[in-house]
Amino acid sequence: MDNDIHPTAVIEGDVQLGNRNTIGPFCHLRGPLVMGDDNLLSSHVCIGLPGQDTRNPRYDDSAKRVVIGSRTTIREFVSVQKACYEDVTTIGDDVFLMQSVHVPHDAQLEDQVVLTPMVALAGLVRVLRGANLALGSGVVQDVVVGQYSIVAAGAVARRHVRPFTRSIPGKPDSVNHYAVEKFGFAEHAADIAAYVLEDRMPAEGPVRTVIEHYEATVRDRERSRGRRG
């Protein structure tokens, strides 16, 4: 395996690395952990410690896992914790976790998510493809942040954030036009505006597919929360 691992990094347990990963100074990787190819871990990154759970702060995490895809950038002082209630904490492909981000137990981050400096997620959250959490924002437990949405700087998402939405406290939801252009949805702008501004579901097409995935994820989170009481 052609990985560049700094001599000060600590790697313990069952850690499976793909190819061309860079593991920077003073990183701590604790298995079970699976990581794909071409990932960059800057310095002082901590991956694989137990989740911070007040119900059981010293639970047995030996069978809990972290799975990270490929081409993801994880900057200095980021923490990614193992699952607690479920089996795995996951981070997809082409994700960008900036300085001091906290990814908690049982979180799932899909591809192309961006978490900017000092974003903090609570346990069991879902951040779907292409979503962006701005500087110092947060997400409470079990909340789903929909695809191609953005949560404003310093805001806390206490409810689910719908796809393609700009979520700003105290203001009505608006369309995240930047993501619409960036991710190739410009020709579907009318469907997106109808959904975000008027809550009208497209009859068919890629926007409907995005919304259906979001709604299925929300239903899963609600069922999970009900089972845990």
PDB file of all heavy atoms in Angstrom, residues 142 215-229:
ATOM      1  N   ASP A 142     -30.382  13.278  15.673  1.00  0.00           N
ATOM      2  CA  ASP A 142     -31.349  12.652  14.775  1.00  0.00           C
ATOM      3  C   ASP A 142     -31.832  13.539  13.636  1.00  0.00           C
ATOM      4  O   ASP A 142     -32.674  13.126  12.842  1.00  0.00           O
ATOM      5  CB  ASP A 142     -32.572  12.139  15.539  1.00  0.00           C
ATOM      6  CG  ASP A 142     -32.324  10.797  16.210  1.00  0.00           C
ATOM      7  OD1 ASP A 142     -32.009   9.828  15.500  1.00  0.00           O
ATOM      8  OD2 ASP A 142     -32.456  10.716  17.442  1.00  0.00           O
ATOM      9  N   GLU A 215     -36.766  12.143   2.140  1.00  0.00           N
ATOM     10  CA  GLU A 215     -37.939  11.777   2.933  1.00  0.00           C
ATOM     11  C   GLU A 215     -37.803  10.372   3.520  1.00  0.00           C
ATOM     12  O   GLU A 215     -38.222  10.136   4.663  1.00  0.00           O
ATOM     13  CB  GLU A 215     -39.198  11.897   2.085  1.00  0.00           C
ATOM     14  CG  GLU A 215     -39.537  13.348   1.739  1.00  0.00           C
ATOM     15  CD  GLU A 215     -40.788  13.482   0.906  1.00  0.00           C
ATOM     16  OE1 GLU A 215     -41.245  12.456   0.327  1.00  0.00           O
ATOM     17  OE2 GLU A 215     -41.327  14.609   0.818  1.00  0.00           O
ATOM     18  N   ALA A 216     -37.214   9.444   2.779  1.00  0.00           N
ATOM     19  CA  ALA A 216     -36.979   8.110   3.309  1.00  0.00           C
ATOM     20  C   ALA A 216     -36.002   8.142   4.479  1.00  0.00           C
ATOM     21  O   ALA A 216     -36.173   7.416   5.472  1.00  0.00           O
ATOM     22  CB  ALA A 216     -36.450   7.185   2.207  1.00  0.00           C
ATOM     23  N   THR A 217     -34.990   8.998   4.384  1.00  0.00           N
ATOM     24  CA  THR A 217     -34.019   9.127   5.483  1.00  0.00           C
ATOM     25  C   THR A 217     -34.678   9.730   6.715  1.00  0.00           C
ATOM     26  O   THR A 217     -34.415   9.294   7.847  1.00  0.00           O
ATOM     27  CB  THR A 217     -32.831   9.990   5.033  1.00  0.00           C
ATOM     28  OG1 THR A 217     -32.281   9.461   3.825  1.00  0.00           O
ATOM     29  CG2 THR A 217     -31.747  10.015   6.099  1.00  0.00           C
ATOM     30  N   VAL A 218     -35.547  10.712   6.528  1.00  0.00           N
ATOM     31  CA  VAL A 218     -36.281  11.297   7.654  1.00  0.00           C
ATOM     32  C   VAL A 218     -37.142  10.235   8.339  1.00  0.00           C
ATOM     33  O   VAL A 218     -37.166  10.133   9.578  1.00  0.00           O
ATOM     34  CB  VAL A 218     -37.139  12.482   7.188  1.00  0.00           C
ATOM     35  CG1 VAL A 218     -38.127  12.908   8.272  1.00  0.00           C
ATOM     36  CG2 VAL A 218     -36.253  13.654   6.786  1.00  0.00           C
ATOM     37  N   ARG A 219     -37.848   9.437   7.553  1.00  0.00           N
ATOM     38  CA  ARG A 219     -38.684   8.384   8.151  1.00  0.00           C
ATOM     39  C   ARG A 219     -37.843   7.400   8.950  1.00  0.00           C
ATOM     40  O   ARG A 219     -38.242   6.971  10.047  1.00  0.00           O
ATOM     41  CB  ARG A 219     -39.465   7.653   7.054  1.00  0.00           C
ATOM     42  CG  ARG A 219     -40.567   8.485   6.427  1.00  0.00           C
ATOM     43  CD  ARG A 219     -41.497   7.621   5.585  1.00  0.00           C
ATOM     44  NE  ARG A 219     -40.834   7.009   4.451  1.00  0.00           N
ATOM     45  CZ  ARG A 219     -40.724   7.573   3.246  1.00  0.00           C
ATOM     46  NH1 ARG A 219     -41.224   8.786   3.033  1.00  0.00           N
ATOM     47  NH2 ARG A 219     -40.126   6.940   2.266  1.00  0.00           N
ATOM     48  N   ASP A 220     -36.670   7.064   8.439  1.00  0.00           N
ATOM     49  CA  ASP A 220     -35.771   6.159   9.158  1.00  0.00           C
ATOM     50  C   ASP A 220     -35.328   6.746  10.483  1.00  0.00           C
ATOM     51  O   ASP A 220     -35.306   6.055  11.509  1.00  0.00           O
ATOM     52  CB  ASP A 220     -34.553   5.848   8.287  1.00  0.00           C
ATOM     53  CG  ASP A 220     -33.510   5.043   9.032  1.00  0.00           C
ATOM     54  OD1 ASP A 220     -33.729   3.836   9.216  1.00  0.00           O
ATOM     55  OD2 ASP A 220     -32.486   5.621   9.441  1.00  0.00           O
ATOM     56  N   ARG A 221     -34.993   8.037  10.485  1.00  0.00           N
ATOM     57  CA  ARG A 221     -34.574   8.693  11.741  1.00  0.00           C
ATOM     58  C   ARG A 221     -35.714   8.737  12.749  1.00  0.00           C
ATOM     59  O   ARG A 221     -35.501   8.548  13.942  1.00  0.00           O
ATOM     60  CB  ARG A 221     -34.081  10.107  11.459  1.00  0.00           C
ATOM     61  CG  ARG A 221     -32.754  10.239  10.741  1.00  0.00           C
ATOM     62  CD  ARG A 221     -31.595   9.635  11.524  1.00  0.00           C
ATOM     63  NE  ARG A 221     -31.481   8.206  11.315  1.00  0.00           N
ATOM     64  CZ  ARG A 221     -31.041   7.336  12.203  1.00  0.00           C
ATOM     65  NH1 ARG A 221     -30.632   7.734  13.379  1.00  0.00           N
ATOM     66  NH2 ARG A 221     -30.968   6.052  11.937  1.00  0.00           N
ATOM     67  N   GLU A 222     -36.933   9.002  12.284  1.00  0.00           N
ATOM     68  CA  GLU A 222     -38.061   9.058  13.200  1.00  0.00           C
ATOM     69  C   GLU A 222     -38.343   7.687  13.806  1.00  0.00           C
ATOM     70  O   GLU A 222     -38.623   7.565  15.004  1.00  0.00           O
ATOM     71  CB  GLU A 222     -39.298   9.593  12.479  1.00  0.00           C
ATOM     72  CG  GLU A 222     -39.162  11.016  11.954  1.00  0.00           C
ATOM     73  CD  GLU A 222     -38.935  12.041  13.053  1.00  0.00           C
ATOM     74  OE1 GLU A 222     -39.322  11.780  14.208  1.00  0.00           O
ATOM     75  OE2 GLU A 222     -38.362  13.103  12.758  1.00  0.00           O
ATOM     76  N   ARG A 223     -38.261   6.636  13.012  1.00  0.00           N
ATOM     77  CA  ARG A 223     -38.448   5.282  13.546  1.00  0.00           C
ATOM     78  C   ARG A 223     -37.370   4.942  14.547  1.00  0.00           C
ATOM     79  O   ARG A 223     -37.633   4.359  15.615  1.00  0.00           O
ATOM     80  CB  ARG A 223     -38.457   4.266  12.404  1.00  0.00           C
ATOM     81  CG  ARG A 223     -39.724   4.268  11.564  1.00  0.00           C
ATOM     82  CD  ARG A 223     -39.789   3.033  10.674  1.00  0.00           C
ATOM     83  NE  ARG A 223     -38.692   2.998   9.723  1.00  0.00           N
ATOM     84  CZ  ARG A 223     -38.761   3.463   8.483  1.00  0.00           C
ATOM     85  NH1 ARG A 223     -39.879   4.032   8.051  1.00  0.00           N
ATOM     86  NH2 ARG A 223     -37.725   3.382   7.660  1.00  0.00           N
ATOM     87  N   SER A 224     -36.131   5.300  14.224  1.00  0.00           N
ATOM     88  CA  SER A 224     -35.020   5.003  15.127  1.00  0.00           C
ATOM     89  C   SER A 224     -35.189   5.719  16.457  1.00  0.00           C
ATOM     90  O   SER A 224     -34.984   5.119  17.524  1.00  0.00           O
ATOM     91  CB  SER A 224     -33.696   5.422  14.468  1.00  0.00           C
ATOM     92  OG  SER A 224     -32.627   5.255  15.347  1.00  0.00           O
ATOM     93  N   ARG A 225     -35.586   6.975  16.403  1.00  0.00           N
ATOM     94  CA  ARG A 225     -35.785   7.729  17.645  1.00  0.00           C
ATOM     95  C   ARG A 225     -36.904   7.114  18.472  1.00  0.00           C
ATOM     96  O   ARG A 225     -36.807   7.037  19.702  1.00  0.00           O
ATOM     97  CB  ARG A 225     -36.101   9.183  17.322  1.00  0.00           C
ATOM     98  CG  ARG A 225     -36.333  10.035  18.556  1.00  0.00           C
ATOM     99  CD  ARG A 225     -36.066  11.487  18.320  1.00  0.00           C
ATOM    100  NE  ARG A 225     -36.665  11.971  17.082  1.00  0.00           N
ATOM    101  CZ  ARG A 225     -36.411  13.180  16.561  1.00  0.00           C
ATOM    102  NH1 ARG A 225     -35.567  13.986  17.184  1.00  0.00           N
ATOM    103  NH2 ARG A 225     -36.988  13.562  15.458  1.00  0.00           N
ATOM    104  N   GLY A 226     -37.974   6.639  17.804  1.00  0.00           N
ATOM    105  CA  GLY A 226     -39.064   6.005  18.531  1.00  0.00           C
ATOM    106  C   GLY A 226     -38.640   4.724  19.225  1.00  0.00           C
ATOM    107  O   GLY A 226     -39.053   4.441  20.356  1.00  0.00           O
ATOM    108  N   ARG A 227     -37.781   3.937  18.564  1.00  0.00           N
ATOM    109  CA  ARG A 227     -37.317   2.684  19.166  1.00  0.00           C
ATOM    110  C   ARG A 227     -36.459   2.942  20.392  1.00  0.00           C
ATOM    111  O   ARG A 227     -36.489   2.169  21.359  1.00  0.00           O
ATOM    112  CB  ARG A 227     -36.534   1.864  18.144  1.00  0.00           C
ATOM    113  CG  ARG A 227     -37.391   1.259  17.040  1.00  0.00           C
ATOM    114  CD  ARG A 227     -36.598   0.218  16.264  1.00  0.00           C
ATOM    115  NE  ARG A 227     -35.463   0.793  15.571  1.00  0.00           N
ATOM    116  CZ  ARG A 227     -35.498   1.247  14.323  1.00  0.00           C
ATOM    117  NH1 ARG A 227     -36.628   1.194  13.631  1.00  0.00           N
ATOM    118  NH2 ARG A 227     -34.427   1.738  13.733  1.00  0.00           N
ATOM    119  N   ARG A 228     -35.673   4.026  20.362  1.00  0.00           N
ATOM    120  CA  ARG A 228     -34.802   4.322  21.510  1.00  0.00           C
ATOM    121  C   ARG A 228     -35.555   4.971  22.659  1.00  0.00           C
ATOM    122  O   ARG A 228     -35.048   5.044  23.770  1.00  0.00           O
ATOM    123  CB  ARG A 228     -33.661   5.267  21.068  1.00  0.00           C
ATOM    124  CG  ARG A 228     -32.718   4.668  20.063  1.00  0.00           C
ATOM    125  CD  ARG A 228     -31.436   5.481  19.965  1.00  0.00           C
ATOM    126  NE  ARG A 228     -31.687   6.889  19.847  1.00  0.00           N
ATOM    127  CZ  ARG A 228     -31.920   7.534  18.705  1.00  0.00           C
ATOM    128  NH1 ARG A 228     -31.976   6.852  17.576  1.00  0.00           N
ATOM    129  NH2 ARG A 228     -32.129   8.834  18.683  1.00  0.00           N
ATOM    130  N   GLY A 229     -36.754   5.473  22.382  1.00  0.00           N
ATOM    131  CA  GLY A 229     -37.536   6.148  23.431  1.00  0.00           C
ATOM    132  C   GLY A 229     -36.981   7.488  23.766  1.00  0.00           C
ATOM    133  O   GLY A 229     -37.099   7.970  24.873  1.00  0.00           O
TER     134      GLY A 229
END
